[in-house]
Amino acid sequence: MSIKIIPIVDHESYDVNGNTVFLDGLGNWYCKAELSQRESNAFHNYKNAIIENKDIKKHTTSTYKGS
């Protein structure tokens, strides 16, 4: 099963397999639905590689494949 992360608004909200993850007013990433461990890990990797990378201006859709 693959995990697809789609930017909605760069640095503010992202779709993770149909669940919206967003940055709250305190600077924490939050999702109303509980993400699976694999989805959470994929978003954490995406955050480190894309969101927090100052050299990337436009965030792209990413797909994480796994078993």
Side-chain angles (χ1 to χ4, degrees):
M1 179 180 144
S2 61
I3 298 164
K4 193 168 197 173
I5 300 175
I6 303 168
I8 299 170
V9 177
D10 288 0
H11 298 286
E12 292 181 22
S13 60
Y14 298 83
D15 179 285
V16 179
N17 276 2
N19 298 303
T20 302
V21 178
F22 61 92
L23 193 61
D24 68 14
L26 300 174
N28 300 307
W29 290 101
Y30 178 75
C31 183
K32 290 182 181 179
E34 187 169 342
L35 299 177
S36 71
Q37 186 64 48
R38 290 185 59 246
E39 289 170 332
S40 182
N41 289 343
F43 183 75
H44 179 75
N45 291 338
Y46 183 88
K47 179 175 67 81
N48 289 338
I50 306 297
I51 299 171
E52 294 178 351
N53 187 336
K54 304 293 183 203
D55 294 330
I56 297 177
K57 302 300 180 204
K58 178 74 176 141
H59 297 179
T60 61
T61 297
S62 294
T63 302
Y64 292 83
K65 298 183 191 242
S67 54

